[in-house]
Each structure stands twice: as C-alpha cells, then as structure tokens.
Amino acid sequence: MANSNLPRRIIKETQRLLSEPAPGISASPSEENMRYFNVMILGPSQSPYEGGVFKLELFLPEEYPMASPKLGRICLDILKDKWSPALQIRTVLLSIQALLSAPNPDDPLSENVAKHWKANEAEAVETAKEWTRLYASGV
Amino acid sequence: MDSEDDMHDANDMDSLDDDYYSEESIVASDEEHNSGDDYDFEDDTVEITSKQQPSKGSLIVRPPMRIRLETGKVKRDNITVYVVDGSVFPSIVAFLDRKREQGKHTTKSKSPELRVQHYTVLSEADIRQLQEDDTTRVSNVLSISKVSASILLRHYNWSVSKVNDDWFADEDRVRRTVGLLDIPVVHFPNLKEVMCGICFESYPCNKIISAACGHPFCSSCWLGYISISITDGPGCLMLRCPDPSCGVAVGQDMINVLVSEQDKEKYSRYLLRSYIENNRKTKWCPAPGCEYAVNFVMGVGSYDVACNCTYGFCWNCTEEAHRPVECDTVQKWIQKNRAESENMNWILANSKPCPKCKRPIEKNQGCMHMTCTPPCKFEFCWLCLGSWQEHGERTGGFYACNRYETAKQQGVYDECEKRREMAKNSLERYTHYYERWATNQASRLKAINDLQQMKSENFLSSLRNNKGHLQIEKLTDKYSMPETQLKFIIDAWLQIIECRRVLKWTYAYGYYLPEHEQIKREYFEFSQGEAEAGLERLHQCAEKELQEYITSAEQPTSAFHEFKTKLTGLTSVTKTFFENLVQALENGLADVDVDSVGCSRTASTKSYGGGSKKKGRGKSRGSGSDPSLEE
Ligand SMILES: [Zn+2]
Ligand SMILES: [Zn+2]
Ligand SMILES: [Zn+2]
Ligand SMILES: [Zn+2]
Ligand SMILES: [Zn+2]
Ligand SMILES: [Zn+2]
C-alpha cells in the first residue's frame, strides 16, 4: 500500500493540517490514498463568493514536493512555474482562498469570469455571487 | 543603452591605402579559424590602431566606398575614426588586443588587402574567454566574487556597462533584485540538529547546506531542486533559494558541488549559450550544425556577415545574406514563395524543351547559355528561351531578359504548356521573378560546388574532376604557370558566387518595386540587366572556356595567357557592375530622383533615360571595361 512508505514530509504536513487547520479551510486525506485530499474552502467574507463553499480535490504526485500538488483547473502561479518545494499544501490552499477574495483577471480561474471582470467588474461580481448561490452554497 | 552603439563601422572594405594606417596599425589574422587555405570565403582580419587611448586600442572604420556611375571609377569618402572606449566596450577591445598579439607571432601573411569588419566571428573558446573576461572585470570593479559577478551579468544580459551603472547608482536595490546578499538572513542558534525545509527531516548542522541566506535544506533536497531546474532549461541560470520568501540567488559554485557531472556540463552550456542569446550584440550562426557565433557592431554598413563556416547571413533577420535588398522585402518574398510553392515546383525542374526542336534539354551548368544537342545545336537562354544570339540585340542591343514586360512581349511564355495554364497575369508576373530568383540560387550552389571541387584536397593532390581530367595542376604543367598565378580562376569563381547571390535577391526587389515608379524601374532594370549580362559572360568563361584549356590536348601558352587576361577582366568588370547595382539599390534608387537625372549624370542618362533606351546601349554596357573584353 502506498500509504506505508509515505514520506515524512507528507505525514507531517497532514498532521498539521488536521491539528491546526487554517481558518476557513479544511483538508482531509482520503482513507484509501493518503496522497489524495478532499478540500473545502469557505468563500471569504466581503468577497463575491461569501457564503459559498468551494470543494476541491488535491493530489500529491510521486515527485511531491519537488513537483507541485495537482489541483485540477486552478490558475495559480505557484502551482506552475513559481512552485518551490519549500511551499506546502497549506500555503497553496491559503493562496486559493486569497484568490477568491481578489480574483486576478490576468490569470483567469475561469476564462469567462475573467473576461467579464476586466470588462465590467460590477457585473462580474454579480455573476460570481450568482454562481456562488447556485453551485457553491447550502452544503 | 551602451555607448558602443555610437561606434560605426563599414563593410566591403577593399584595399585601403597605406596612409590610412598609423604606425601601430597591425593586421591580426584569426589563426584558429583558418584552414590554411588561401582562398577563404571570409576574411576575418581586424585592423587596430591607436588613437587617443594608445594603450586601449580603437577601431578604425570608414563608411563603405562610394562608386560613381558616371566615371566607373571608385572613389572613397574620407576616413572616419570612431574611438571605442575601452571601459565601455572592454571585452571586445581586449579580445582584439589578444588577436593582435597572436598576429604578431604569425608568420603566415594574409592577403595584402586590409579590411575592417563590423563584426567578429567567435568560436566556443572565444566566447568562453570573453565571458570569463567580462566576469573577471565586473568581479574586480565591484569587489564581489566571480560567481556573484556571473549572476549579476546574467541578469543584466551580459552588459558590463549596465551592471556598472546600476550598481553604483543603487547597490542595495541591485542586490535585492538579483538576490545577492552580503549577510545571511537566517542564523542557526547553536542547535545540534536542523530541520530541512523541504523533506522536514532533521539533520546535524554539518549535513545542511544553505545559499547566502542561510535557509536550511539537506543535500538530497538541494540535489532534487537543482536537477529539476536544470532539466527544465536555461531558467536554472536564474535559480533562487527554494524558500519562497527569500529570492537569494544560487550560483554555479553551489551547483557544481551538488549535482552530477552531466548536469554540471548542461549548466555550463546554458551559461555559454546565454552569453550569446541574451546579449543583443551577439547571435549564433544559423547554419545547421555551425557552432560559431557572431558579435556585431551596430552602425553604418550592411547586416551581411560571413561566418567562418562560409555561410553568409543577415545579422538582422538571420536569413541568408541578402544585401542590397531589405529584410522586409526578403520576409515578404519568402512568405510569398511559401504560399506559391505548389505552383512553382515545376520551375525547379532541371529540363526544358528546346525552343526549336522541342527535345528536353537538361541544365547541368551554372550559366544560362544553353546549347541543344546535335544536330539541332540551337543556342538559347534558359530563362526566357530566346535565341542566345539575339539575347542582347533584339531590343536594340540591350539586355532585357530580366524585364518582365519585354520577356512577355516576345511571346516566349507561350512556349511552355505550363505557362499557358497560368491565366492570371499576377501569377505569370510572379513566375517571371521567382524563376530568376530560384535559378540564380541553383546556379550559385552549383558554383559553390564547382569551386569546392577545385579547392578540395583531392583536387590539389590527385587533381581529377568527375570526368577524370586534371585541372589546376594540369594547367600548371601545361602552361608552365605556378599555381599561385592561377588564383585568378578562384577569384573569378568567388565573384560568380557573390554575384549570383546579389542577382538572386534583386529579383525579389524587382518583384516588389512599384510598377508606377517608371523611372526607377527602368533604371533598376537597366542596372540589373547590365550586371546580369556581365555575370553570364563571366560565368560562361569560367565554366566552359576554362574547360577547353583543361581538356583539349594542344593549346598554345599564349592563348592561355589571353584567356587569363579575359577572365581577369570579366571578373573585374562584373564586380563593378554589381557594385553599381548594390549601390543603386541601397540608395533606394535615389540617383534617379527627378533633379539628379538632368544634371550630374549626363554621361549615363543615355543608359536608362526614357526615349533613348533603344539606341546606343552597346556602348554603355562596356563602361569602365577593357573594350578587348567585349565579346
Ligand atoms: Zn533563502
Ligand atoms: Zn531535505
Ligand atoms: Zn557558421
Ligand atoms: Zn535581413
Ligand atoms: Zn534543339
Ligand atoms: Zn533570356
């Protein structure tokens, strides 16, 4: 089983994520595969995503931490060329939370939203709120 | 950005007079690039003289020589001296100084012609040396380690002057940006064990390695971190401490301690490449497999450079050398050719039906003068399929094969079925220019090949061409001329190769020359026609007439001497024609601007002026040439 020879680093990170979770963020490893995490991030207050809960799946590849965690379609520089092995799961999740408070239109999380954002910020905020209501609330 | 931009230069400098040089002037020959062959395509001599800064050296350069059409003689503008400040342009000056030193110990004398180049061809050893010199210089001036100097230079794209400027303006800011620290930011209290920031394992202090910042990582984590970065590409040259908040640079010294031999080698290659690729004054030679680079000094003069591998290319756009045609025109032309390539494949075919007997005639020579096989023996022009006898005569004695409208009027395009299919005038027009462009290219390659064969080791020792005939040595024996006196043959071929290149590009130029600019077009076509006619005579003489002296059993020595006079004359006449053509195009045909037509060019107005073009052409063709050379 892969879990038996899990690197010390992943074990330590997991322990800390569980014992001292960052506010608004929960990350728990799957029982079958300790490299696979279910993540939930609360939409930050004062942001268009307030009241939403964002569910993500995070996977630590074999090369982790030399390679970044895999997070599906998330546009975050530290997951790409800015990754450093000294970054951690916690730092990645905090960055995503920050991204939800202030999306960066030049590094689009969703191309559509980003386009909107540049063209008309107010309208985009409404769209984001609407999407939060429709898809990310009431968990 | 640098004041070396102020340095001007020139090219095509031939035979400078002795009085252009001060006493210290020395010609340095580039030994390590030289194959010991007297007939190198390139002539990478540099001329160095002292002026103002006797110990530093300066480059002495002139604008290209001017050629006056009306006299056919060469006149030179005044010499201009541009001083290269050793502190701004240090490595190249030092490099040239070294070349000069080498030159002093050189016994082999290069050609008496002194040339100044606006570029330097660099071997890998040269590049390493220049890089080392720059790094040492920065290290000394800023009192930092050589590794730090190298990091700094890499960030500043290897501009020593920019590094100096910024450093002395705000050293702290430069240190922060580049990641050079003088004091560590992290100190270990006297702990027995320290935790690696990547694997989270604890290690005794002596197993922990840090960059200047002190952030602790174990050696195997460092190894993984650096190897991944080296595998990723040249970004490893900008490697920083893994700690995301840190940004301290990781230099080559640390890398060499930690990684495999293979990765060290890769890193060092990236560093070398960076010196060329991140430096706007240098580029790699684009010839496949060539490992030379070229350092180019911006300023006056053309972008054409000749690499030591013999490939000539444009420093600006890295296409094949295309002087006197501009880069934009070349790009447009290349794209056009790409778009039309399917339509044009047939043009590259090596055989055409004889215009008289319709049998397919294969082109296996470089010149355009074709002779059909017996019994037909019809002599015609490969390009326009017109009779060779009438080639220069049918329009009143002047060469018109290069002109689209004239060639079309001859009705020769009907000769070929393919052409009939080309209903559209635009395609037909393009075809005219493309065929001439492509055929001159093919002819040039053939000439390079022929020359190569003549120069090859094999040729000089066994001296057999593909027909089994002895060539130069045979001539040496036959006409009791030492081999050195046969240099005129090589010179002729070099001239042919260069002229085919220029001629080829003038067809791209002609294609884009606006049709409504009537006077310019006529002047251009006249100059091009003169040059082309001259080149055909030269090429034919070097190719076919020379063969007669090699293959035939008995030819009097006096005849061979006459041949020598003829070939030498044709070489020089053709050279002049092409210099005129290049000059005219580089001036944007400005010589025929309305005001200059009437006055300064009385002697040559008859050559291209509107009404008189049908008469008196024969005379102007030979301007500046020995009448005895006229065929
Ligand atoms: Zn650090
Ligand atoms: Zn470690
Ligand atoms: Zn080359
Ligand atoms: Zn160019
Ligand atoms: Zn025939
Ligand atoms: Zn012709």
Side-chain angles (χ1 to χ4, degrees), chain A residues 7-10 12-13 63 65-67 82-88 91, chain B residues 195 197-202 217 220-222 224-225 228 241-244:
Chain A
R8 176 101 177 261
R9 153 140 181 180
I10 295 181
K12 279 198 169 178
E13 273 200 76
E63 307 80 41
M66 288 304 167
K82 293 277 166 37
W83 173 252
S84 158
L87 291 166
Q88 300 180 24
T91 25
Chain B
M195 192 181 78
I198 292 175
C199 64
F200 294 0
E201 304 279 351
S202 291
F217 304 101
S220 80
C221 286
W222 269 116
Y225 180 65
I228 286 176
C241 165
D243 189 292

Side-chain angles (χ1 to χ4, degrees), chain B residues 354-359 361 372-373 376-378 380:
Chain B
C354 164
K356 201 171 176 195
C357 70
K358 309 293 177 205
R359 276 183 305 162
I361 302 299
C372 187
T373 46
C376 171
K377 286 177 153 180
F378 182 62
F380 62 98

Side-chain angles (χ1 to χ4, degrees), chain B residues 51-97:
Chain B
K51 207 95 183 179
Q52 295 184 16
Q53 280 188 305
S55 60
K56 283 286 187 189
S58 59
L59 290 176
I60 183 166
V61 282
R62 295 186 306 120
M65 58 189 176
R66 304 272 310 178
I67 297 147
R68 308 254 181 246
L69 265 165
E70 59 266 32
T71 60
K73 278 189 183 157
V74 173
K75 281 190 186 170
R76 299 197 185 90
D77 287 348
N78 288 336
I79 187 163
T80 317
V81 178
Y82 300 90
V83 175
V84 185
D85 181 354
S87 67
V88 180
F89 203 37
S91 290
I92 283 291
V93 169
F95 179 71
L96 295 177
D97 281 344

Side-chain angles (χ1 to χ4, degrees), chain A residues 43-115:
Chain A
S45 56
Q46 320 274 296
S47 84
Y49 301 102
E50 184 171 5
V53 178
F54 292 84
K55 287 190 187 176
L56 302 166
E57 293 172 350
L58 180 148
F59 179 70
L60 303 176
E62 195 55 43
E63 307 80 41
Y64 181 82
M66 288 304 167
S68 66
K70 300 293 164 253
L71 255 158
R73 278 192 53 204
I74 297 272
C75 275
L76 204 56
D77 58 355
I78 57 164
L79 292 178
K80 294 181 282 182
D81 54 324
K82 293 277 166 37
W83 173 252
S84 158
L87 291 166
Q88 300 180 24
I89 301 172
R90 174 185 295 268
T91 25
V92 169
L93 298 180
L94 285 168
S95 301
I96 293 170
Q97 195 182 42
L99 191 69
L100 290 172
S101 331
N104 171 12
D106 292 324
D107 195 4
L109 178 66
S110 150
E111 211 178 294
N112 231 348
V113 174
K115 253 184 212 157

